[in-house]
Amino acid sequence: IVTLIVVIVFQWSTPFQESTTQSKLKNYDGNRNAYNLETQVLSAMAKREDSINPIAEFPMDDYRASRLQLSPGRPLFATFDDFLILSYKDTKVFPEKDFANITSTFSPSKSRVKRLVCHIDRSYANLRKWQHYIHVVAPCWSLFRRFPNAKHYIDIHAKKSPGSDKPWSSWIIEMNKYFAESNIHFLNNDKLRRPGSGDWIASTQMISHGHGWGDPTGNGPLINAYYFMEQSDIFDLQKRVLGEKAMHGPSHDKLRILLLNREDSSARNWKYTNQTFDLIKHEWGDLFDVKLIRSFSGYSFKQQATVIHDADVIISPHGAQLTDLVFSRPCTTLLELFPRGFYYPKKGTLLMEAGGIAFIGYHFDGSPVSEAPAFDYYNNTESGKRLREERRSVPIFASPASILYALPDVLHAAITCRKQWLL
């Protein structure tokens, strides 16, 4: 009798599972035009194999798209091992230097946590910019999620602070408001009262070796940056900022592609964004929506977050505007354009942590790793800083034709991810 029941259940559940999957795909393919889009993309990829990559006329540059790969053996997310956690009662003020030889006294499974202080310190001359702040505050957000019953504090120790002559940027002030709404308190120069055995202080020491730069010798692999401990932590933050508009998962509506430029900046301003927009619109506009934003200037914090959250494919130069990828959804796909001799795909891994896919856009005849000089975080000399500024402070001349040539790879990655998400 038991055997008969098992056979009946198996025979009934298998077709049910198959029909459910087929129903999802039918809805996805038929009602959302995904099948037609995928067919067109695959056809474009097949035709491209028989063609020659377009040759740009000066001053345009031919670009190509390569999928961003993690450093060998380096995880995508942070872990407890990336924090140095000490007893607050015994520490109070966190050591700013020479803590490489200090061992955490904290055990995630054994230590009682009543109050948890996340300490922030950075070697920047100041910590006022949103693109820098997210790298040190995101780990704190994740760490607090591991201890929901504890009281949470952020201990800010930066050379420039809200009380100085150069306060936080408006973006950081806005983010701190959302943190406060999540019952995260800011200590500034205060101390916890009556510290006890359940009070701990943690340093986000992961930042010291996760800047997205190559090995200082120039011979090693890219040291990819990471921010959060789990993808769910990112979605929790998105829900706090976007409210009911936050959607955990890819959209199954018509694919939306965003061209996001930096026209308000001379550094990495993409000179041919308008022409690329017109070309993509002409070639693919009947299959997906195309949107052009010349600059995020004038957009509020929440407006920027919403724009990124709504986009399915993003083409944009390397820059601070990509910090808003923290608000991207799973399967969002990025093509980040870099100038020659500068390779710093730090925000690509932020997108990957959110469940997205990152591509790097680089000169067709170049190699981003071998051409970019080594920037040693621990020995960032004046000459190294000047060289870095020279390489990054130039416009982007990516030609519209080469971006159109590379686009099917980016689109196919986004479509495949959507299907996998359904299954």
Side-chain angles (χ1 to χ4, degrees), residues 102-118:
I102 301 176
T103 303
S104 290
T105 57
F106 178 81
S107 171
S109 60
K110 298 180 180 179
S111 300
R112 173 174 171 266
V113 182
K114 182 179 179 181
R115 295 184 293 185
L116 180 59
V117 179
C118 189

Side-chain angles (χ1 to χ4, degrees), residues 165-182:
D165 58 336
K166 294 183 178 180
W168 299 119
S169 71
S170 59
W171 263 221
I172 295 177
I173 295 174
E174 192 74 17
M175 177 59 79
N176 287 348
K177 289 180 181 178
Y178 292 114
F179 273 57
E181 292 175 1
S182 303

Side-chain angles (χ1 to χ4, degrees), residues 235 238-248 302 309:
F235 185 55
Q238 292 177 357
K239 286 190 294 184
R240 174 59 63 183
V241 175
L242 297 172
E244 295 181 354
K245 292 183 178 180
M247 181 173 62
H248 186 53
K302 196 165 185 176
H309 196 71

Side-chain angles (χ1 to χ4, degrees), residues 2-258:
V2 173
T3 304
L4 179 62
I5 293 174
V6 171
V7 171
I8 292 174
V9 169
F10 176 77
Q11 289 179 341
W12 175 82
S13 63
T14 302
F16 174 77
Q17 292 172 351
E18 289 179 353
S19 64
T20 301
T21 301
Q22 290 171 355
S23 176
K24 287 181 178 179
L25 286 176
K26 183 178 180 181
N27 177 68
Y28 179 71
D29 288 346
N31 297 340
R32 306 298 187 180
N33 294 319
Y35 178 78
N36 186 30
L37 176 59
E38 183 176 26
T39 301
Q40 294 286 347
V41 169
L42 290 173
S43 176
M45 295 174 71
K47 292 179 180 177
R48 189 183 58 183
E49 298 301 321
D50 298 327
S51 65
I52 301 175
N53 182 66
I55 300 176
E57 296 182 3
F58 182 83
M60 293 184 183
D61 294 317
D62 284 322
Y63 268 58
R64 56 187 169 88
S66 301
R67 193 150 175 176
L68 178 62
Q69 302 293 329
L70 291 178
S71 307
R74 185 168 170 83
L76 177 60
F77 292 99
T79 67
F80 276 109
D81 293 336
D82 296 299
F83 294 87
L84 179 58
I85 307 178
L86 305 174
S87 166
Y88 186 86
K89 182 179 180 180
D90 300 332
T91 308
K92 294 182 182 178
V93 178
F94 212 90
E96 304 298 347
K97 298 179 179 180
D98 302 326
F99 52 76
N101 297 322
I102 301 176
T103 303
S104 290
T105 57
F106 178 81
S107 171
S109 60
K110 298 180 180 179
S111 300
R112 173 174 171 266
V113 182
K114 182 179 179 181
R115 295 184 293 185
L116 180 59
V117 179
C118 189
H119 170 84
I120 293 177
D121 183 75
R122 202 59 192 264
S123 63
Y124 287 112
N126 59 71
L127 188 58
R128 299 184 299 108
K129 296 182 178 181
W130 164 232
Q131 64 267 30
H132 302 158
Y133 190 69
I134 188 64
H135 199 197
V136 296
V137 80
C140 295
W141 175 269
S142 269
L143 186 63
F144 293 151
R145 306 263 82 67
R146 311 282 86 77
F147 304 98
N149 297 322
K151 291 185 177 180
H152 305 141
Y153 302 85
I154 292 181
D155 179 18
I156 298 174
H157 281 261
K159 294 181 181 180
K160 297 294 182 182
S161 66
S164 71
D165 58 336
K166 294 183 178 180
W168 299 119
S169 71
S170 59
W171 263 221
I172 295 177
I173 295 174
E174 192 74 17
M175 177 59 79
N176 287 348
K177 289 180 181 178
Y178 292 114
F179 273 57
E181 292 175 1
S182 303
N183 296 318
I184 297 173
H185 310 281
F186 291 85
L187 287 177
N188 294 320
N189 294 320
D190 303 324
K191 302 290 186 296
L192 292 182
R193 294 183 179 181
R194 298 178 181 178
S197 59
D199 299 331
W200 299 87
I201 184 168
S203 171
T204 56
Q205 69 178 89
M206 71 181 76
I207 62 172
S208 65
H209 55 268
H211 280 62
W213 296 342
D215 182 87
T217 64
N219 298 316
L222 168 75
I223 305 175
N224 63 271
Y226 44 47
Y227 300 77
F228 294 88
M229 299 176 77
E230 289 183 3
Q231 188 182 120
S232 60
D233 299 335
I234 303 177
F235 185 55
D236 286 343
L237 182 59
Q238 292 177 357
K239 286 190 294 184
R240 174 59 63 183
V241 175
L242 297 172
E244 295 181 354
K245 292 183 178 180
M247 181 173 62
H248 186 53
S251 168
H252 300 304
D253 295 326
K254 196 173 184 180
L255 202 73
R256 292 165 292 192
I257 183 167
L258 169 67

Side-chain angles (χ1 to χ4, degrees), residues 325-399:
L325 288 169
V326 69
F327 301 111
S328 60
R329 291 173 289 107
C331 296
T332 299
T333 306
L334 167 73
L335 175 56
E336 183 177 5
L337 307 178
F338 291 90
R340 187 185 291 276
F342 184 82
Y343 182 58
Y344 189 62
K346 185 176 176 180
K347 298 304 184 292
T349 51
L350 177 58
L351 173 67
M352 293 167 68
E353 287 186 353
I357 304 166
F359 283 81
I360 59 169
Y362 206 74
H363 286 71
F364 196 86
D365 62 345
S367 171
V369 176
S370 63
E371 291 183 357
F375 303 120
D376 189 347
Y377 171 75
Y378 298 101
N379 185 26
N380 198 3
T381 62
E382 285 300 319
S383 60
K385 290 180 180 179
R386 286 195 298 270
L387 179 59
R388 180 171 179 265
E389 286 302 313
E390 290 174 2
R391 297 291 179 90
R392 70 195 293 267
S393 300
V394 296
I396 298 289
F397 293 98
S399 70

